[in-house]
Amino acid sequence: MSGGGGCCGELYSCVFDYSTPRIALIKSRKVGLLNRVIQLVILAYVIGWVFVWEKGYQEFDTVISSVTSKVKGVAATNTSELGFRVWDVADYIIPPQEENAFFVMTNLILTPNQTQRQCPEVRVQTGRCVAYNETVKTCEVDAWCPVENDLTVPKPAFLGSAENFTVLIKNNIWYPKFNFSKRNILPNISTEYLKSCIYDRVNNPFCPIFRLGSLVEEAGESFQDMALLVCAEDHIVSKNALQ
Ligand SMILES: *[C@@H]1O[C@H](CO)[C@@H](O)[C@H](O)[C@H]1NC(C)=O
Ligand SMILES: *[C@@H]1O[C@H](CO)[C@@H](O)[C@H](O)[C@H]1NC(C)=O
Ligand SMILES: *[C@@H]1O[C@H](CO)[C@@H](O)[C@H](O)[C@H]1NC(C)=O
Ligand SMILES: *[C@@H]1O[C@H](CO)[C@@H](O)[C@H](O)[C@H]1NC(C)=O
Ligand SMILES: *[C@@H]1O[C@H](CO)[C@@H](O)[C@H](O)[C@H]1NC(C)=O
Ligand SMILES: *[C@@H]1O[C@H](CO)[C@@H](O)[C@H](O)[C@H]1NC(C)=O
């Protein structure tokens, strides 16, 4: 037959032949044992690693979460510089809106009646000196005068009563892939309950309103100590003061 016939022969056998693998039974303990060990290893891999350890049967999705907070509380102070003053949310929450955070002012250094002019620096310096007070002279600077004096921080903290302020924390989470959402305000919590409750580990474990003092205590800190801290921006003493 020619080459063309060979090709036809291959096609013929391809279509009309039937082939099956042959099963060989090997009566050997060694081979049998090896076979079982390999099967066991594969089974252990699939069950132990893929299912139990890596949880390969589970689907994953990233969470979309939003946290909003609302602080409540009013403080009153009566000082010689300011007289009687009431502080509410608009006064002590700076900035008014923050992403997943809130800032409560607990202490402040008052520098009343500042204007732009020349005045004595707050720290003692030699140089061209002007009288800072009766006993001490300091360098003269161009600044908003009088210059803020952060060497003496009000103690106890000006707004120490902020420990009794409360914050309502709302947290929603959503898994878009599973259309599953949940929030920290349980469905059975009524508006009346929300108006009066304050979180307590024992009595009100589902209340989303927290006392600032308790939050700090839970973190192992003292609110009154923390409230004292003022972000002291160090004054750069004017170097070009003349002798
Ligand atoms: C504030 O303090 C001053 C003096 O300490 C006092 O005379 C005044 O009555 C106080 N004001 C209020 C509203 O408590
Ligand atoms: C600030 O200015 C006001 C009015 O000009 C004045 O009554 C007050 O005593 C001044 N305060 C200080 C601390 O100088
Ligand atoms: C003057 O200021 C210095 C430094 O702040 C202070 O130690 C001193 O007691 C003050 N003197 C008077 C009379 O206020
Ligand atoms: C906070 O409130 C409690 C009880 O209402 C009161 O005893 C405590 O003095 C308050 N704390 C401050 C710093 O005002
Ligand atoms: C997601 O679930 C809510 C109720 O839980 C249902 O009203 C809404 O139609 C669902 N959305 C989709 C896209 O399945
Ligand atoms: C809301 O339900 C939880 C149980 O899911 C329960 O422990 C809690 O006391 C309930 N809260 C209110 C205010 O009914």
Side-chain angles (χ1 to χ4, degrees), residues 86-129:
V86 169
W87 303 80
D88 77 355
V89 180
D91 299 314
Y92 59 74
I93 298 289
I94 309 157
Q97 288 282 327
E98 267 189 279
E99 206 174 315
N100 297 345
F102 60 89
F103 178 93
V104 178
M105 176 177 77
T106 54
N107 211 356
L108 73 154
I109 295 167
L110 287 167
T111 317
N113 295 356
Q114 276 186 314
T115 50
Q116 285 209 358
R117 55 189 165 91
Q118 285 99 28
C119 58
E121 244 290 348
V122 284
R123 274 185 202 156
V124 183
Q125 287 287 312
T126 53
R128 186 170 138 217
C129 289

Side-chain angles (χ1 to χ4, degrees), residues 160-164 211 224:
S161 53
E163 76 171 337
N164 280 342
R211 195 175 148 266
Q224 290 306 327

Side-chain angles (χ1 to χ4, degrees), residues 46-60 178:
V46 170
I47 292 177
W49 177 258
V50 175
F51 283 105
V52 178
W53 190 257
E54 286 281 291
K55 298 192 166 52
Y57 56 89
Q58 292 184 345
E59 271 198 85
F60 290 88
F178 309 109

Side-chain angles (χ1 to χ4, degrees), residues 25 35 38 42 94 102 116 123 128 135 141 149 155 168 173 179 183 186-187 194 210-211 226-227 230 235 242:
L25 184 69
N35 176 35
I38 289 170
I42 292 170
I94 309 157
F102 60 89
Q116 285 209 358
R123 274 185 202 156
R128 186 170 138 217
T135 52
V141 288
N149 182 359
K155 199 174 176 179
L168 164 69
I173 54 164
N179 191 20
R183 55 194 219 135
L186 299 180
L194 269 187
F210 303 87
R211 195 175 148 266
M226 215 172 95
V230 169
H235 285 287
L242 299 166

Side-chain angles (χ1 to χ4, degrees), residues 122-124 132-138 149 151-152:
V122 284
R123 274 185 202 156
V124 183
Y132 172 60
N133 60 22
E134 288 101 77
T135 52
V136 166
K137 286 185 168 189
T138 62
N149 182 359
L151 300 175
T152 50

